[in-house]
Amino acid sequence: MSYRYVGPAEVKAAIRPGGEGRPIRTRADFESWVRERPAAESAEPFTLRLLR
């Protein structure tokens, strides 16, 4: 299931190509994703949407 974006237009405009998201199905997936992020990026907020 997918939902349309409903937030501020300027936030949507800031999405980088290839930044559409990544499925995180397990704790290992999340830990891998975190390790791949540059250190400076870990200080930035991110959105984690939990799906069933």
Side-chain angles (χ1 to χ4, degrees):
M1 180 179 290
S2 185
Y3 299 92
R4 69 179 183 82
Y5 178 76
V6 295
E10 63 272 13
V11 172
K12 184 177 180 182
I15 297 173
R16 297 178 303 247
E20 293 83 19
R22 173 175 169 174
I24 304 290
R25 293 185 176 88
T26 66
R27 180 180 178 149
D29 289 345
F30 179 75
E31 290 170 349
S32 174
W33 176 80
V34 169
R35 280 192 302 273
E36 294 171 8
R37 308 277 59 86
E41 196 171 305
S42 66
E44 297 292 326
F46 63 90
T47 301
L48 179 64
R49 185 175 77 194
L50 302 174
L51 304 174
R52 292 200 254 161

